[in-house]
Amino acid sequence: MTQPVRRDRGQISGWAPLRELEELRDRMDRLMQTTFPFPARPLSETEEDPWAPLADVADTEDAYVMELELPGVKKDDVTVEVTDGELDIHGEVKDKERTGVLRRRTRRIGRFSYRTTLPRNADTDKITADLAHGVLTVRVPKVASSMPRRIEISD
């Protein structure tokens, strides 16, 4: 498909991939809002919809390990809770004081929330969380009785 050529004051303007990506994101956001117009719960006028941080989940032999990207977040601004087999991580990325004019912002700020249902073999009493270098690592051990073990066959 050929791209239309824009002419500004007699000159041909070039391709602006970042602008096109922003436009695509705006169109996708509008599509999602029209498809799912209502948030999970009503928001007050001053409250914005929380976003979910990027996360990796690994299933190791003895635990489930979740790593969430939270650059610039202090441990006092994050809460990790377990309720009825569901892990809930929420908090806030605060905007920092800036000097000068902010020309572009691509990093997210504001409230965030990450929720996941834990498997039945998760030991919720021994969950640990560690925040280092902008990555929150949550380790959910597996119950020892649910660990696979080899059973010898007798002759």
Side-chain angles (χ1 to χ4, degrees), residues 27-41:
R27 288 194 307 245
M28 292 300 292
D29 286 345
R30 284 193 302 269
L31 175 65
M32 292 302 290
Q33 287 298 322
T34 56
T35 306
F36 306 105
F38 304 106
R41 60 178 179 76

Side-chain angles (χ1 to χ4, degrees), residues 25-144:
R25 181 173 180 225
D26 290 341
R27 288 194 307 245
M28 292 300 292
D29 286 345
R30 284 193 302 269
L31 175 65
M32 292 302 290
Q33 287 298 322
T34 56
T35 306
F36 306 105
F38 304 106
R41 60 178 179 76
L43 300 172
S44 69
E45 289 181 18
T46 59
E47 190 178 34
E48 76 252 7
D49 200 17
W51 51 274
L54 298 175
D56 290 336
V57 180
D59 183 357
T60 65
E61 256 185 60
D62 61 341
Y64 301 100
V65 180
M66 284 155 255
E67 294 178 336
L68 284 76
E69 288 186 10
L70 298 173
V73 175
K74 297 176 184 157
K75 74 176 194 173
D76 296 336
D77 295 333
V78 180
T79 304
V80 179
E81 299 174 329
V82 176
T83 308
D84 298 329
E86 190 171 81
L87 180 68
D88 181 19
I89 302 168
H90 57 274
E92 184 174 4
V93 176
K94 295 181 179 172
D95 199 8
K96 65 180 187 176
E97 286 282 324
R98 299 185 190 278
T99 58
V101 177
L102 181 65
R103 299 286 182 189
R104 183 176 182 88
R105 175 182 302 230
T106 57
R107 292 174 35 188
R108 291 193 136 173
I109 59 168
R111 294 179 328 105
F112 64 87
S113 178
Y114 178 84
R115 296 188 109 172
T116 187
T117 303
L118 296 173
R120 286 188 286 173
N121 66 341
D123 190 352
T124 57
D125 294 329
K126 296 180 181 171
I127 295 175
T128 59
D130 177 50
L131 181 62
H133 306 293
V135 177
L136 175 68
T137 303
V138 179
R139 189 171 188 283
V140 182
K142 295 179 182 178
V143 178

Side-chain angles (χ1 to χ4, degrees), residues 6 17-30:
R6 290 177 114 181
L18 293 177
R19 186 187 71 234
E20 288 186 16
L21 285 173
E22 287 176 334
E23 290 172 0
L24 176 62
R25 181 173 180 225
D26 290 341
R27 288 194 307 245
M28 292 300 292
D29 286 345
R30 284 193 302 269

